[in-house]
Every structure is written in C-alpha cells, then in structure tokens.
C-alpha cells in the first residue's frame, strides 16, 4: 500500500467518513448526503506517480435523447470552474466530476485530501438541479432549452457554502 493511499485512509478516518476499500486496488468509495442528492464518490491513489484522483458521480440518469445537451451543459459549467471538470461517459451517459492532484513525494497533506473530497461533493451537488432540469425537459422541448439561462437560476443552488458559514459539511452516507 502506497504512502499516499495510507494518507487517504487516514483522512477519511480522521473525518469519521464511512468508506469501503476496493480489494486489490488503492481505491476508496464512499457516498455523501449533500443538500440536493446523495453523491457517490471514488478516490483512487496512484502511489508511484503521487497522483490522487477524486471522482463524484451524478445520481441523475441522463436519457440517450439528452446526451448532446448534457455534454453542452458540462462544457458550459466547466468554463466557470477553477478546479476539476465535469465529464460524461458517452457510452453510459454517466455524468461525473473529476479532479486530481499531484503530491510531492512523502508530503501527502490529509487536509488537502479532505478538501478535494469536499470540493467534488459540493460541485456535484451544485450541478444536480441543473442536470435534473435538463433531464426533465421533454425531447420535443430540448432544442428550445436555453442552457445559459438555466445556469443563471440561482434558486437551484444550495443555500450558502457550509464551510464558509461554519456549518457541518456534507454528511457521509453509509458505505
């Protein structure tokens, strides 16, 4: 087990987050209850390269008919992001938020690891209502959906930032 993966396990344990390890891999999976949805999370350590990848998956299922507009929505959201990016698996229509960090050798900051997890959960939670609105749009009305206007709908965002307001962050669901 790499030192980076040990740091990931320690970070999860220190936060009290429920998780499960994937046998034979340096992977931790967890699920967090956020404001809008439950966010499944996959954290993979690449110890030799000192890279940590954090992937949050959307709980919303994208119909085949909505694939192109979903890809456009991801692209429009990515334009405003500083860290990480939304992606869509074209074959399964699974929307995910992916970010990674390269750590200096022997310097695996557990706080940075927890911040990467928190950011992935928050970003997916923010995207979920927009994705839901898009997926609820009928196939006939889909070409008329203005994604730029949709993304301006602030009432779809979670209220405030729990970290800034001193509230508890997203709660881990049972793994």
């Amino acid at each position: 087990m790499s030192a980076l993966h040990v740091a990931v396990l320690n970070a999860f344990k220190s936060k009290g987050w429920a998780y499960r390890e994937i046998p034979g891999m340096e992977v931790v999976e967890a699920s967090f209850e956020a404001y809008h949805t439950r966010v499944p999370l996959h954290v993979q350590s690449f110890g030799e390269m000192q890279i940590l990848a954090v992937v949050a998956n959307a709980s919303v299922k994208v119909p085949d008919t909505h694939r192109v507009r979903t890809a456009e929505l991801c692209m429009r959201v990515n334009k405003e992001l500083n860290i990480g990016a939304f992606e869509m698996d074209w074959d399964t229509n699974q929307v995910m938020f992916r970010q990674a960090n390269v750590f200096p050798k022997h310097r695996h900051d557990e706080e940075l690891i927890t911040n990467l997890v928190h950011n992935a959960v928050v970003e997916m939670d923010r995207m979920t209502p927009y994705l839901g609105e898009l997926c609820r749009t009928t196939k006939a009305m889909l070409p008329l959906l203005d994604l730029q206007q949709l993304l301006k709908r602030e009432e779809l965002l979670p209220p405030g930032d729990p970290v800034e307001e001193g509230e508890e962050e997203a709660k881990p669901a049972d793994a």
Side-chain angles (χ1 to χ4, degrees):
M1 184 180 303
S2 71
L4 176 57
H5 193 62
V6 169
V8 169
L9 295 174
N10 288 338
F12 271 74
K13 287 174 188 170
S14 72
K15 285 293 194 177
W17 292 339
Y19 65 92
R20 65 188 161 284
E21 293 182 69
I22 304 303
M25 301 179 74
E26 292 195 338
V27 172
V28 168
E29 290 186 339
S31 186
F32 290 83
E33 288 295 336
Y35 183 78
H36 289 293
T37 190
R38 178 178 275 211
V39 179
L41 193 79
H42 176 96
V43 181
Q44 185 163 8
S45 306
F46 299 93
E48 205 163 295
M49 296 181 290
Q50 302 300 308
I51 296 172
L52 184 67
V54 180
V55 179
N57 291 303
S59 57
V60 176
K61 298 297 179 197
V62 176
D64 287 341
T65 55
H66 290 54
R67 187 182 318 168
V68 171
R69 295 307 308 270
T70 301
E72 180 185 351
L73 178 68
C74 290
M75 180 271 313
R76 290 186 180 282
V77 171
N78 285 342
K79 187 176 170 184
E80 303 298 321
L81 292 176
N82 293 315
I83 299 172
F86 283 95
E87 304 173 5
M88 183 179 62
D89 182 319
W90 199 257
D91 297 323
T92 65
N93 300 347
Q94 176 66 57
V95 173
M96 62 198 87
F97 178 80
R98 181 187 312 271
Q99 60 188 349
N101 192 72
V102 180
F103 288 86
K105 198 166 190 160
H106 307 297
R107 292 182 45 212
H108 309 117
D109 184 339
E110 291 177 22
E111 185 176 350
L112 177 55
I113 293 167
T114 59
N115 286 340
L116 288 167
V117 168
H118 180 260
N119 186 59
V121 171
V122 167
E123 289 298 346
M124 185 53 72
D125 192 47
R126 288 181 183 154
M127 174 65 123
T128 296
Y130 298 115
L131 191 56
E133 289 290 318
L134 185 147
C135 290
R136 280 190 292 278
T137 302
T138 64
K139 181 181 174 185
M141 295 302 292
L142 202 53
L144 303 176
L145 180 63
D146 185 336
L147 293 178
Q148 289 175 307
Q149 288 300 322
L150 175 63
L151 290 172
K152 290 179 182 176
R153 291 185 51 196
E154 291 186 11
E155 81 276 6
L156 296 176
L157 293 172
D161 181 7
V163 174
E164 286 181 11
E165 294 177 7
E167 297 173 8
E168 291 185 44
E169 54 191 77
K171 301 260 190 252
D174 291 340

